[in-house]
Amino acid sequence: MFSGLSGSFFSMMGRVIVLAVVFLGASQAAQAQFSMVGAAKITFRGTVIDSSRKVGLSNALVTIRTEYDEYRTYTDSDGEFVLEVASPKEMKDFEIVFSHPDYREKYFNTAFDRAIRGTFEAKVQSGQVKVKHYKTKSQLNCGGTLSVGTKDGGPVSAQLTCGNQLTFALNLPDGNSLSVMAPSAFEFKVEKEKVQIQGISGSAITVGLTAVVYKR
């Protein structure tokens, strides 16, 4: 399809695109989904769920794709996975992708795009989180749950758990969820399909994911 285009054109486009996307291959590219700055160590853990059977999916490939590298692992017999990133500095722009030969590939940002209306912001501090979403502002204390209005009316809720770690969780429709756990204050923002996490102050951070995938 691209045989008629010159090498100089590709060179020019590559310099432009790299500022906004992460390359998937020679002929496929997608918008970077996530941005995380300030963490000294990042661990991703979670579960991949079969949408029809509502159970964990084994042998699903989990990929964290940055501009410079890819980190991969497979889910175990219960559909669970743990993946550590060796170089947190690479995480300024990255993607989270779930794939399996029998299931449709899932880019995790799509779970937010269908659910969150406008911009969702959460500032997490000891004992509370201040939430700003669309035209409303709310405060959530330790152990509390907050319902969030969505595009299609599907259920979305935010939760804050305190202790040795602060854990902020966003539960999305269809069983998808994302949580951020850190020992100190941090900020969480969703704008369209981009998720930003910052202000970790050099601490270790754990990102929890529940991803529901559908058969082809």
Side-chain angles (χ1 to χ4, degrees), residues 150-162:
T150 64
K151 281 183 178 180
D152 57 7
V156 174
S157 65
Q159 295 175 310
L160 178 66
T161 304
C162 302

Side-chain angles (χ1 to χ4, degrees), residues 178-199:
L178 180 144
S179 65
V180 179
M181 182 173 67
S184 57
F186 60 89
E187 296 184 9
F188 176 91
K189 181 178 180 180
V190 180
E191 188 171 15
K192 295 183 179 179
E193 293 188 356
K194 187 68 176 282
V195 179
Q196 301 174 57
I197 303 169
Q198 60 182 353

